[in-house]
Amino acid sequence: MSRTPTQLVVTAKDVEEAERLVKAGADALVIGDEQYALRPAGYFSREMIMETVPIAHGQGAKVYVLVNALLHNEDIVGLEGYIEFLKKAGVDGVVYGDPAVLVTVKRLAPQMELHWNTEMTVTNSTTANFWGRKGATRAILARELNLDEVLEFKRNSQIEVQVQVHGMSCIFHSKRELLTSYYSHQGKNLEKEDHSMVRNLFLKEETRDDTRYPLYEDTKGTHMMSPADICMIEWIDLVLEGGIDAVKIEGLMKSTEYNEKVVAIYRKAIDSYYANPEEFTVDLTWKVEIEAIQPPLRPLDTGFFFKEQIF
């Protein structure tokens, strides 16, 4: 149960981080495993999921599991068993993109929430309402929408709306292992952490040495991430005024200490707004506190919230 009308959602990379983020003020955790999750902050085994759910529920928080990977026939074979497990574990909802997940959840675990997320294609309320009629309970909006588009989406949506307000976002995905292929072409061996993930690699612009696009590779392929982190703490009231149902902090590639601090700051801001919306003013120290712990090569900006998407 959210402490406020707007739910504060945050990713977690392991059980310890999950517990710390809930204590810091998260209303909901987003976690995922290696087979069915696309870009989770860390891989959660079934045992870890079973351990995390009671921790979150004990603090009044929810647990949402990512089942948003690009599913192939071999993945569908085990999907029913995975959804049955999530139901048994007491998971509150799943994040999905493939209709196969929606159909399976509705049949086997109809009490679970269904959060529609197809990355950059969640851009209009008409399509969101279509999925709502099929059973979706929430639309997770594309990060490429500006604030006016987000608020218009919310005004016309028949299901809940979630937007990302902090952290990095994905700007490119390929099913192929592009990094492994590149290193192999050079005659080099790319060592993979725990045989499932490669991180700490960057793509740099030739004319802007300080702009770095993080790259990583896992069992789902190659991912290129944004060169800056979204940070809407200074304009959080504009998001909340629009009645947005959930705001997300993406903790991918950040330390637990960083995520814990950021969650606490957004928790304070959200609670402060709802305590007295008419007289709410942004505390300028919130942004200063985040800047103090921000990684040096990860500048803060507002993403597309105040921009038009240029194609």
PDB file of all heavy atoms in Angstrom, residues 153-190:
ATOM      1  N   PHE A 153      -1.230  11.812 -21.684  1.00  0.00           N
ATOM      2  CA  PHE A 153      -1.404  10.371 -21.620  1.00  0.00           C
ATOM      3  C   PHE A 153      -2.213  10.009 -20.376  1.00  0.00           C
ATOM      4  O   PHE A 153      -3.180   9.240 -20.449  1.00  0.00           O
ATOM      5  CB  PHE A 153      -0.019   9.696 -21.572  1.00  0.00           C
ATOM      6  CG  PHE A 153      -0.020   8.218 -21.800  1.00  0.00           C
ATOM      7  CD1 PHE A 153       0.652   7.681 -22.899  1.00  0.00           C
ATOM      8  CD2 PHE A 153      -0.647   7.348 -20.928  1.00  0.00           C
ATOM      9  CE1 PHE A 153       0.671   6.306 -23.120  1.00  0.00           C
ATOM     10  CE2 PHE A 153      -0.631   5.980 -21.128  1.00  0.00           C
ATOM     11  CZ  PHE A 153       0.035   5.456 -22.228  1.00  0.00           C
ATOM     12  N   LYS A 154      -1.830  10.577 -19.236  1.00  0.00           N
ATOM     13  CA  LYS A 154      -2.511  10.274 -17.975  1.00  0.00           C
ATOM     14  C   LYS A 154      -3.977  10.713 -18.015  1.00  0.00           C
ATOM     15  O   LYS A 154      -4.872   9.992 -17.551  1.00  0.00           O
ATOM     16  CB  LYS A 154      -1.778  10.936 -16.811  1.00  0.00           C
ATOM     17  CG  LYS A 154      -2.506  10.859 -15.466  1.00  0.00           C
ATOM     18  CD  LYS A 154      -2.823   9.428 -15.068  1.00  0.00           C
ATOM     19  CE  LYS A 154      -3.651   9.394 -13.785  1.00  0.00           C
ATOM     20  NZ  LYS A 154      -4.098   8.022 -13.449  1.00  0.00           N
ATOM     21  N   ARG A 155      -4.239  11.885 -18.568  1.00  0.00           N
ATOM     22  CA  ARG A 155      -5.613  12.395 -18.624  1.00  0.00           C
ATOM     23  C   ARG A 155      -6.533  11.470 -19.415  1.00  0.00           C
ATOM     24  O   ARG A 155      -7.732  11.390 -19.149  1.00  0.00           O
ATOM     25  CB  ARG A 155      -5.639  13.800 -19.235  1.00  0.00           C
ATOM     26  CG  ARG A 155      -5.130  14.889 -18.301  1.00  0.00           C
ATOM     27  CD  ARG A 155      -5.444  16.269 -18.855  1.00  0.00           C
ATOM     28  NE  ARG A 155      -4.771  16.541 -20.119  1.00  0.00           N
ATOM     29  CZ  ARG A 155      -3.568  17.107 -20.226  1.00  0.00           C
ATOM     30  NH1 ARG A 155      -2.902  17.433 -19.124  1.00  0.00           N
ATOM     31  NH2 ARG A 155      -3.033  17.342 -21.409  1.00  0.00           N
ATOM     32  N   ASN A 156      -5.981  10.762 -20.392  1.00  0.00           N
ATOM     33  CA  ASN A 156      -6.795   9.943 -21.272  1.00  0.00           C
ATOM     34  C   ASN A 156      -6.654   8.440 -21.023  1.00  0.00           C
ATOM     35  O   ASN A 156      -7.280   7.641 -21.715  1.00  0.00           O
ATOM     36  CB  ASN A 156      -6.438  10.246 -22.731  1.00  0.00           C
ATOM     37  CG  ASN A 156      -6.818  11.660 -23.125  1.00  0.00           C
ATOM     38  OD1 ASN A 156      -7.987  11.989 -23.258  1.00  0.00           O
ATOM     39  ND2 ASN A 156      -5.821  12.520 -23.279  1.00  0.00           N
ATOM     40  N   SER A 157      -5.858   8.085 -20.035  1.00  0.00           N
ATOM     41  CA  SER A 157      -5.625   6.674 -19.770  1.00  0.00           C
ATOM     42  C   SER A 157      -6.676   6.107 -18.825  1.00  0.00           C
ATOM     43  O   SER A 157      -7.046   6.737 -17.832  1.00  0.00           O
ATOM     44  CB  SER A 157      -4.235   6.465 -19.160  1.00  0.00           C
ATOM     45  OG  SER A 157      -4.023   5.106 -18.865  1.00  0.00           O
ATOM     46  N   GLN A 158      -7.126   4.905 -19.125  1.00  0.00           N
ATOM     47  CA  GLN A 158      -8.083   4.210 -18.274  1.00  0.00           C
ATOM     48  C   GLN A 158      -7.391   3.265 -17.296  1.00  0.00           C
ATOM     49  O   GLN A 158      -8.050   2.607 -16.496  1.00  0.00           O
ATOM     50  CB  GLN A 158      -9.070   3.429 -19.153  1.00  0.00           C
ATOM     51  CG  GLN A 158      -9.910   4.323 -20.055  1.00  0.00           C
ATOM     52  CD  GLN A 158     -10.619   3.556 -21.153  1.00  0.00           C
ATOM     53  OE1 GLN A 158     -10.522   2.332 -21.245  1.00  0.00           O
ATOM     54  NE2 GLN A 158     -11.339   4.280 -22.008  1.00  0.00           N
ATOM     55  N   ILE A 159      -6.071   3.182 -17.371  1.00  0.00           N
ATOM     56  CA  ILE A 159      -5.296   2.364 -16.431  1.00  0.00           C
ATOM     57  C   ILE A 159      -4.223   3.234 -15.790  1.00  0.00           C
ATOM     58  O   ILE A 159      -3.994   4.378 -16.190  1.00  0.00           O
ATOM     59  CB  ILE A 159      -4.655   1.144 -17.134  1.00  0.00           C
ATOM     60  CG1 ILE A 159      -3.710   1.590 -18.264  1.00  0.00           C
ATOM     61  CG2 ILE A 159      -5.734   0.214 -17.664  1.00  0.00           C
ATOM     62  CD1 ILE A 159      -2.990   0.419 -18.948  1.00  0.00           C
ATOM     63  N   GLU A 160      -3.563   2.708 -14.784  1.00  0.00           N
ATOM     64  CA  GLU A 160      -2.526   3.458 -14.089  1.00  0.00           C
ATOM     65  C   GLU A 160      -1.372   3.805 -15.030  1.00  0.00           C
ATOM     66  O   GLU A 160      -1.138   3.121 -16.027  1.00  0.00           O
ATOM     67  CB  GLU A 160      -1.986   2.638 -12.910  1.00  0.00           C
ATOM     68  CG  GLU A 160      -2.982   2.396 -11.803  1.00  0.00           C
ATOM     69  CD  GLU A 160      -2.394   1.589 -10.661  1.00  0.00           C
ATOM     70  OE1 GLU A 160      -1.231   1.140 -10.784  1.00  0.00           O
ATOM     71  OE2 GLU A 160      -3.082   1.405  -9.642  1.00  0.00           O
ATOM     72  N   VAL A 161      -0.659   4.869 -14.674  1.00  0.00           N
ATOM     73  CA  VAL A 161       0.460   5.339 -15.486  1.00  0.00           C
ATOM     74  C   VAL A 161       1.702   5.448 -14.611  1.00  0.00           C
ATOM     75  O   VAL A 161       1.662   6.020 -13.521  1.00  0.00           O
ATOM     76  CB  VAL A 161       0.145   6.706 -16.122  1.00  0.00           C
ATOM     77  CG1 VAL A 161       1.392   7.311 -16.761  1.00  0.00           C
ATOM     78  CG2 VAL A 161      -0.972   6.565 -17.151  1.00  0.00           C
ATOM     79  N   GLN A 162       2.807   4.905 -15.110  1.00  0.00           N
ATOM     80  CA  GLN A 162       4.093   4.989 -14.411  1.00  0.00           C
ATOM     81  C   GLN A 162       5.121   5.666 -15.305  1.00  0.00           C
ATOM     82  O   GLN A 162       5.201   5.381 -16.497  1.00  0.00           O
ATOM     83  CB  GLN A 162       4.584   3.589 -14.033  1.00  0.00           C
ATOM     84  CG  GLN A 162       5.967   3.568 -13.388  1.00  0.00           C
ATOM     85  CD  GLN A 162       6.382   2.173 -12.984  1.00  0.00           C
ATOM     86  OE1 GLN A 162       5.647   1.457 -12.293  1.00  0.00           O
ATOM     87  NE2 GLN A 162       7.566   1.737 -13.408  1.00  0.00           N
ATOM     88  N   VAL A 163       5.925   6.555 -14.724  1.00  0.00           N
ATOM     89  CA  VAL A 163       7.002   7.201 -15.470  1.00  0.00           C
ATOM     90  C   VAL A 163       8.300   7.099 -14.676  1.00  0.00           C
ATOM     91  O   VAL A 163       8.293   7.042 -13.441  1.00  0.00           O
ATOM     92  CB  VAL A 163       6.694   8.694 -15.759  1.00  0.00           C
ATOM     93  CG1 VAL A 163       5.478   8.836 -16.647  1.00  0.00           C
ATOM     94  CG2 VAL A 163       6.512   9.481 -14.471  1.00  0.00           C
ATOM     95  N   GLN A 164       9.392   7.087 -15.394  1.00  0.00           N
ATOM     96  CA  GLN A 164      10.703   7.083 -14.749  1.00  0.00           C
ATOM     97  C   GLN A 164      11.112   8.517 -14.437  1.00  0.00           C
ATOM     98  O   GLN A 164      11.045   9.391 -15.303  1.00  0.00           O
ATOM     99  CB  GLN A 164      11.757   6.435 -15.646  1.00  0.00           C
ATOM    100  CG  GLN A 164      13.137   6.368 -15.002  1.00  0.00           C
ATOM    101  CD  GLN A 164      14.168   5.718 -15.898  1.00  0.00           C
ATOM    102  OE1 GLN A 164      13.831   4.889 -16.753  1.00  0.00           O
ATOM    103  NE2 GLN A 164      15.427   6.079 -15.725  1.00  0.00           N
ATOM    104  N   VAL A 165      11.549   8.757 -13.210  1.00  0.00           N
ATOM    105  CA  VAL A 165      11.967  10.103 -12.810  1.00  0.00           C
ATOM    106  C   VAL A 165      13.438  10.181 -12.434  1.00  0.00           C
ATOM    107  O   VAL A 165      13.959  11.277 -12.209  1.00  0.00           O
ATOM    108  CB  VAL A 165      11.114  10.627 -11.629  1.00  0.00           C
ATOM    109  CG1 VAL A 165       9.675  10.835 -12.046  1.00  0.00           C
ATOM    110  CG2 VAL A 165      11.219   9.712 -10.411  1.00  0.00           C
ATOM    111  N   HIS A 166      14.113   9.031 -12.365  1.00  0.00           N
ATOM    112  CA  HIS A 166      15.529   9.073 -11.998  1.00  0.00           C
ATOM    113  C   HIS A 166      16.262   7.854 -12.549  1.00  0.00           C
ATOM    114  O   HIS A 166      15.718   6.758 -12.609  1.00  0.00           O
ATOM    115  CB  HIS A 166      15.700   9.116 -10.482  1.00  0.00           C
ATOM    116  CG  HIS A 166      17.075   9.542 -10.056  1.00  0.00           C
ATOM    117  ND1 HIS A 166      17.398  10.865  -9.816  1.00  0.00           N
ATOM    118  CD2 HIS A 166      18.218   8.839  -9.865  1.00  0.00           C
ATOM    119  CE1 HIS A 166      18.671  10.939  -9.488  1.00  0.00           C
ATOM    120  NE2 HIS A 166      19.196   9.730  -9.514  1.00  0.00           N
ATOM    121  N   GLY A 167      17.517   8.091 -12.962  1.00  0.00           N
ATOM    122  CA  GLY A 167      18.388   7.006 -13.379  1.00  0.00           C
ATOM    123  C   GLY A 167      18.593   6.924 -14.879  1.00  0.00           C
ATOM    124  O   GLY A 167      18.055   7.701 -15.653  1.00  0.00           O
ATOM    125  N   MET A 168      19.406   5.950 -15.296  1.00  0.00           N
ATOM    126  CA  MET A 168      19.726   5.781 -16.713  1.00  0.00           C
ATOM    127  C   MET A 168      18.591   5.076 -17.440  1.00  0.00           C
ATOM    128  O   MET A 168      17.728   4.448 -16.824  1.00  0.00           O
ATOM    129  CB  MET A 168      21.034   5.006 -16.881  1.00  0.00           C
ATOM    130  CG  MET A 168      21.002   3.570 -16.412  1.00  0.00           C
ATOM    131  SD  MET A 168      22.480   2.641 -16.930  1.00  0.00           S
ATOM    132  CE  MET A 168      23.811   3.668 -16.319  1.00  0.00           C
ATOM    133  N   SER A 169      18.599   5.190 -18.752  1.00  0.00           N
ATOM    134  CA  SER A 169      17.600   4.517 -19.566  1.00  0.00           C
ATOM    135  C   SER A 169      18.278   3.886 -20.774  1.00  0.00           C
ATOM    136  O   SER A 169      19.351   4.313 -21.204  1.00  0.00           O
ATOM    137  CB  SER A 169      16.501   5.487 -20.017  1.00  0.00           C
ATOM    138  OG  SER A 169      17.057   6.580 -20.722  1.00  0.00           O
ATOM    139  N   CYS A 170      17.639   2.853 -21.317  1.00  0.00           N
ATOM    140  CA  CYS A 170      18.197   2.152 -22.465  1.00  0.00           C
ATOM    141  C   CYS A 170      17.868   2.917 -23.749  1.00  0.00           C
ATOM    142  O   CYS A 170      16.736   3.358 -23.943  1.00  0.00           O
ATOM    143  CB  CYS A 170      17.622   0.741 -22.534  1.00  0.00           C
ATOM    144  SG  CYS A 170      18.241  -0.232 -23.930  1.00  0.00           S
ATOM    145  N   ILE A 171      18.851   3.054 -24.624  1.00  0.00           N
ATOM    146  CA  ILE A 171      18.604   3.725 -25.902  1.00  0.00           C
ATOM    147  C   ILE A 171      18.843   2.794 -27.092  1.00  0.00           C
ATOM    148  O   ILE A 171      18.581   3.161 -28.228  1.00  0.00           O
ATOM    149  CB  ILE A 171      19.453   4.999 -26.060  1.00  0.00           C
ATOM    150  CG1 ILE A 171      20.948   4.680 -25.983  1.00  0.00           C
ATOM    151  CG2 ILE A 171      19.090   6.011 -24.978  1.00  0.00           C
ATOM    152  CD1 ILE A 171      21.831   5.910 -26.215  1.00  0.00           C
ATOM    153  N   PHE A 172      19.338   1.580 -26.820  1.00  0.00           N
ATOM    154  CA  PHE A 172      19.550   0.620 -27.911  1.00  0.00           C
ATOM    155  C   PHE A 172      19.619  -0.782 -27.329  1.00  0.00           C
ATOM    156  O   PHE A 172      20.205  -1.007 -26.271  1.00  0.00           O
ATOM    157  CB  PHE A 172      20.855   0.907 -28.671  1.00  0.00           C
ATOM    158  CG  PHE A 172      21.211  -0.159 -29.669  1.00  0.00           C
ATOM    159  CD1 PHE A 172      20.614  -0.192 -30.918  1.00  0.00           C
ATOM    160  CD2 PHE A 172      22.135  -1.145 -29.355  1.00  0.00           C
ATOM    161  CE1 PHE A 172      20.934  -1.186 -31.840  1.00  0.00           C
ATOM    162  CE2 PHE A 172      22.460  -2.144 -30.274  1.00  0.00           C
ATOM    163  CZ  PHE A 172      21.857  -2.161 -31.520  1.00  0.00           C
ATOM    164  N   HIS A 173      18.998  -1.743 -28.030  1.00  0.00           N
ATOM    165  CA  HIS A 173      19.078  -3.142 -27.624  1.00  0.00           C
ATOM    166  C   HIS A 173      19.195  -4.019 -28.850  1.00  0.00           C
ATOM    167  O   HIS A 173      18.527  -3.789 -29.856  1.00  0.00           O
ATOM    168  CB  HIS A 173      17.833  -3.560 -26.830  1.00  0.00           C
ATOM    169  CG  HIS A 173      17.736  -5.049 -26.635  1.00  0.00           C
ATOM    170  ND1 HIS A 173      18.515  -5.723 -25.732  1.00  0.00           N
ATOM    171  CD2 HIS A 173      16.984  -5.984 -27.262  1.00  0.00           C
ATOM    172  CE1 HIS A 173      18.235  -7.010 -25.789  1.00  0.00           C
ATOM    173  NE2 HIS A 173      17.308  -7.207 -26.716  1.00  0.00           N
ATOM    174  N   SER A 174      20.064  -5.018 -28.775  1.00  0.00           N
ATOM    175  CA  SER A 174      20.174  -6.014 -29.835  1.00  0.00           C
ATOM    176  C   SER A 174      20.224  -7.394 -29.209  1.00  0.00           C
ATOM    177  O   SER A 174      20.903  -7.599 -28.203  1.00  0.00           O
ATOM    178  CB  SER A 174      21.433  -5.795 -30.677  1.00  0.00           C
ATOM    179  OG  SER A 174      21.595  -6.854 -31.619  1.00  0.00           O
ATOM    180  N   LYS A 175      19.503  -8.311 -29.765  1.00  0.00           N
ATOM    181  CA  LYS A 175      19.532  -9.693 -29.297  1.00  0.00           C
ATOM    182  C   LYS A 175      20.909 -10.316 -29.501  1.00  0.00           C
ATOM    183  O   LYS A 175      21.300 -11.248 -28.808  1.00  0.00           O
ATOM    184  CB  LYS A 175      18.465 -10.498 -30.041  1.00  0.00           C
ATOM    185  CG  LYS A 175      18.341 -11.944 -29.604  1.00  0.00           C
ATOM    186  CD  LYS A 175      17.708 -12.072 -28.231  1.00  0.00           C
ATOM    187  CE  LYS A 175      17.453 -13.534 -27.875  1.00  0.00           C
ATOM    188  NZ  LYS A 175      16.929 -13.691 -26.512  1.00  0.00           N
ATOM    189  N   ARG A 176      21.663  -9.774 -30.458  1.00  0.00           N
ATOM    190  CA  ARG A 176      22.979 -10.337 -30.771  1.00  0.00           C
ATOM    191  C   ARG A 176      24.017  -9.938 -29.724  1.00  0.00           C
ATOM    192  O   ARG A 176      23.930  -8.884 -29.112  1.00  0.00           O
ATOM    193  CB  ARG A 176      23.435  -9.861 -32.144  1.00  0.00           C
ATOM    194  CG  ARG A 176      22.583 -10.371 -33.291  1.00  0.00           C
ATOM    195  CD  ARG A 176      22.888  -9.628 -34.575  1.00  0.00           C
ATOM    196  NE  ARG A 176      22.513  -8.234 -34.480  1.00  0.00           N
ATOM    197  CZ  ARG A 176      22.748  -7.317 -35.417  1.00  0.00           C
ATOM    198  NH1 ARG A 176      23.405  -7.662 -36.508  1.00  0.00           N
ATOM    199  NH2 ARG A 176      22.346  -6.080 -35.269  1.00  0.00           N
ATOM    200  N   GLU A 177      25.027 -10.773 -29.561  1.00  0.00           N
ATOM    201  CA  GLU A 177      26.129 -10.475 -28.644  1.00  0.00           C
ATOM    202  C   GLU A 177      27.167  -9.654 -29.410  1.00  0.00           C
ATOM    203  O   GLU A 177      28.196 -10.151 -29.861  1.00  0.00           O
ATOM    204  CB  GLU A 177      26.731 -11.765 -28.091  1.00  0.00           C
ATOM    205  CG  GLU A 177      25.768 -12.533 -27.192  1.00  0.00           C
ATOM    206  CD  GLU A 177      26.419 -13.725 -26.517  1.00  0.00           C
ATOM    207  OE1 GLU A 177      27.478 -14.189 -27.000  1.00  0.00           O
ATOM    208  OE2 GLU A 177      25.889 -14.193 -25.498  1.00  0.00           O
ATOM    209  N   LEU A 178      26.897  -8.374 -29.563  1.00  0.00           N
ATOM    210  CA  LEU A 178      27.743  -7.518 -30.388  1.00  0.00           C
ATOM    211  C   LEU A 178      29.127  -7.309 -29.781  1.00  0.00           C
ATOM    212  O   LEU A 178      30.127  -7.222 -30.498  1.00  0.00           O
ATOM    213  CB  LEU A 178      27.049  -6.161 -30.587  1.00  0.00           C
ATOM    214  CG  LEU A 178      25.695  -6.214 -31.294  1.00  0.00           C
ATOM    215  CD1 LEU A 178      25.092  -4.815 -31.379  1.00  0.00           C
ATOM    216  CD2 LEU A 178      25.821  -6.814 -32.683  1.00  0.00           C
ATOM    217  N   LEU A 179      29.203  -7.213 -28.466  1.00  0.00           N
ATOM    218  CA  LEU A 179      30.496  -6.993 -27.824  1.00  0.00           C
ATOM    219  C   LEU A 179      31.393  -8.222 -27.958  1.00  0.00           C
ATOM    220  O   LEU A 179      32.575  -8.112 -28.271  1.00  0.00           O
ATOM    221  CB  LEU A 179      30.296  -6.644 -26.349  1.00  0.00           C
ATOM    222  CG  LEU A 179      29.484  -5.379 -26.078  1.00  0.00           C
ATOM    223  CD1 LEU A 179      29.363  -5.139 -24.578  1.00  0.00           C
ATOM    224  CD2 LEU A 179      30.110  -4.170 -26.759  1.00  0.00           C
ATOM    225  N   THR A 180      30.823  -9.394 -27.734  1.00  0.00           N
ATOM    226  CA  THR A 180      31.587 -10.622 -27.897  1.00  0.00           C
ATOM    227  C   THR A 180      32.076 -10.767 -29.329  1.00  0.00           C
ATOM    228  O   THR A 180      33.225 -11.125 -29.578  1.00  0.00           O
ATOM    229  CB  THR A 180      30.731 -11.842 -27.516  1.00  0.00           C
ATOM    230  OG1 THR A 180      30.365 -11.749 -26.135  1.00  0.00           O
ATOM    231  CG2 THR A 180      31.490 -13.138 -27.743  1.00  0.00           C
ATOM    232  N   SER A 181      31.196 -10.442 -30.284  1.00  0.00           N
ATOM    233  CA  SER A 181      31.557 -10.535 -31.695  1.00  0.00           C
ATOM    234  C   SER A 181      32.691  -9.570 -32.029  1.00  0.00           C
ATOM    235  O   SER A 181      33.628  -9.921 -32.755  1.00  0.00           O
ATOM    236  CB  SER A 181      30.332 -10.223 -32.565  1.00  0.00           C
ATOM    237  OG  SER A 181      30.674 -10.223 -33.934  1.00  0.00           O
ATOM    238  N   TYR A 182      32.624  -8.353 -31.486  1.00  0.00           N
ATOM    239  CA  TYR A 182      33.656  -7.344 -31.745  1.00  0.00           C
ATOM    240  C   TYR A 182      35.006  -7.795 -31.216  1.00  0.00           C
ATOM    241  O   TYR A 182      36.027  -7.723 -31.907  1.00  0.00           O
ATOM    242  CB  TYR A 182      33.239  -6.027 -31.111  1.00  0.00           C
ATOM    243  CG  TYR A 182      34.305  -4.946 -31.154  1.00  0.00           C
ATOM    244  CD1 TYR A 182      34.609  -4.298 -32.348  1.00  0.00           C
ATOM    245  CD2 TYR A 182      35.004  -4.596 -30.004  1.00  0.00           C
ATOM    246  CE1 TYR A 182      35.592  -3.316 -32.395  1.00  0.00           C
ATOM    247  CE2 TYR A 182      35.985  -3.618 -30.040  1.00  0.00           C
ATOM    248  CZ  TYR A 182      36.272  -2.985 -31.231  1.00  0.00           C
ATOM    249  OH  TYR A 182      37.244  -2.027 -31.272  1.00  0.00           O
ATOM    250  N   TYR A 183      35.023  -8.284 -29.978  1.00  0.00           N
ATOM    251  CA  TYR A 183      36.284  -8.724 -29.380  1.00  0.00           C
ATOM    252  C   TYR A 183      36.830  -9.955 -30.095  1.00  0.00           C
ATOM    253  O   TYR A 183      38.042 -10.092 -30.287  1.00  0.00           O
ATOM    254  CB  TYR A 183      36.094  -9.000 -27.893  1.00  0.00           C
ATOM    255  CG  TYR A 183      36.255  -7.770 -27.031  1.00  0.00           C
ATOM    256  CD1 TYR A 183      35.215  -6.860 -26.880  1.00  0.00           C
ATOM    257  CD2 TYR A 183      37.452  -7.502 -26.393  1.00  0.00           C
ATOM    258  CE1 TYR A 183      35.356  -5.727 -26.112  1.00  0.00           C
ATOM    259  CE2 TYR A 183      37.617  -6.361 -25.601  1.00  0.00           C
ATOM    260  CZ  TYR A 183      36.561  -5.476 -25.473  1.00  0.00           C
ATOM    261  OH  TYR A 183      36.714  -4.344 -24.707  1.00  0.00           O
ATOM    262  N   SER A 184      35.942 -10.844 -30.507  1.00  0.00           N
ATOM    263  CA  SER A 184      36.387 -12.044 -31.221  1.00  0.00           C
ATOM    264  C   SER A 184      37.015 -11.666 -32.555  1.00  0.00           C
ATOM    265  O   SER A 184      38.011 -12.265 -32.990  1.00  0.00           O
ATOM    266  CB  SER A 184      35.203 -12.989 -31.455  1.00  0.00           C
ATOM    267  OG  SER A 184      34.691 -13.453 -30.227  1.00  0.00           O
ATOM    268  N   HIS A 185      36.437 -10.658 -33.220  1.00  0.00           N
ATOM    269  CA  HIS A 185      36.978 -10.188 -34.496  1.00  0.00           C
ATOM    270  C   HIS A 185      38.393  -9.648 -34.309  1.00  0.00           C
ATOM    271  O   HIS A 185      39.228  -9.762 -35.209  1.00  0.00           O
ATOM    272  CB  HIS A 185      36.071  -9.097 -35.065  1.00  0.00           C
ATOM    273  CG  HIS A 185      36.531  -8.553 -36.377  1.00  0.00           C
ATOM    274  ND1 HIS A 185      36.480  -9.274 -37.551  1.00  0.00           N
ATOM    275  CD2 HIS A 185      37.071  -7.340 -36.701  1.00  0.00           C
ATOM    276  CE1 HIS A 185      36.959  -8.546 -38.544  1.00  0.00           C
ATOM    277  NE2 HIS A 185      37.321  -7.367 -38.054  1.00  0.00           N
ATOM    278  N   GLN A 186      38.660  -9.088 -33.130  1.00  0.00           N
ATOM    279  CA  GLN A 186      39.995  -8.562 -32.834  1.00  0.00           C
ATOM    280  C   GLN A 186      40.936  -9.646 -32.328  1.00  0.00           C
ATOM    281  O   GLN A 186      42.095  -9.378 -32.036  1.00  0.00           O
ATOM    282  CB  GLN A 186      39.896  -7.453 -31.776  1.00  0.00           C
ATOM    283  CG  GLN A 186      39.215  -6.183 -32.258  1.00  0.00           C
ATOM    284  CD  GLN A 186      39.326  -5.071 -31.233  1.00  0.00           C
ATOM    285  OE1 GLN A 186      39.162  -5.310 -30.034  1.00  0.00           O
ATOM    286  NE2 GLN A 186      39.621  -3.874 -31.695  1.00  0.00           N
ATOM    287  N   GLY A 187      40.421 -10.851 -32.200  1.00  0.00           N
ATOM    288  CA  GLY A 187      41.251 -11.940 -31.697  1.00  0.00           C
ATOM    289  C   GLY A 187      41.415 -11.917 -30.200  1.00  0.00           C
ATOM    290  O   GLY A 187      42.375 -12.492 -29.660  1.00  0.00           O
ATOM    291  N   LYS A 188      40.478 -11.243 -29.510  1.00  0.00           N
ATOM    292  CA  LYS A 188      40.559 -11.138 -28.059  1.00  0.00           C
ATOM    293  C   LYS A 188      39.434 -11.941 -27.426  1.00  0.00           C
ATOM    294  O   LYS A 188      38.419 -12.230 -28.043  1.00  0.00           O
ATOM    295  CB  LYS A 188      40.459  -9.672 -27.621  1.00  0.00           C
ATOM    296  CG  LYS A 188      41.558  -8.780 -28.165  1.00  0.00           C
ATOM    297  CD  LYS A 188      41.340  -7.328 -27.740  1.00  0.00           C
ATOM    298  CE  LYS A 188      42.425  -6.430 -28.305  1.00  0.00           C
ATOM    299  NZ  LYS A 188      42.211  -4.998 -27.922  1.00  0.00           N
ATOM    300  N   ASN A 189      39.631 -12.266 -26.160  1.00  0.00           N
ATOM    301  CA  ASN A 189      38.615 -12.999 -25.410  1.00  0.00           C
ATOM    302  C   ASN A 189      37.941 -12.054 -24.429  1.00  0.00           C
ATOM    303  O   ASN A 189      38.604 -11.404 -23.630  1.00  0.00           O
ATOM    304  CB  ASN A 189      39.249 -14.169 -24.653  1.00  0.00           C
ATOM    305  CG  ASN A 189      38.217 -14.951 -23.851  1.00  0.00           C
ATOM    306  OD1 ASN A 189      37.095 -15.158 -24.326  1.00  0.00           O
ATOM    307  ND2 ASN A 189      38.599 -15.381 -22.666  1.00  0.00           N
ATOM    308  N   LEU A 190      36.634 -11.950 -24.523  1.00  0.00           N
ATOM    309  CA  LEU A 190      35.873 -11.074 -23.627  1.00  0.00           C
ATOM    310  C   LEU A 190      35.424 -11.880 -22.418  1.00  0.00           C
ATOM    311  O   LEU A 190      34.566 -12.752 -22.520  1.00  0.00           O
ATOM    312  CB  LEU A 190      34.659 -10.492 -24.348  1.00  0.00           C
ATOM    313  CG  LEU A 190      33.799  -9.504 -23.552  1.00  0.00           C
ATOM    314  CD1 LEU A 190      34.619  -8.310 -23.108  1.00  0.00           C
ATOM    315  CD2 LEU A 190      32.618  -9.046 -24.396  1.00  0.00           C
TER     316      LEU A 190
END
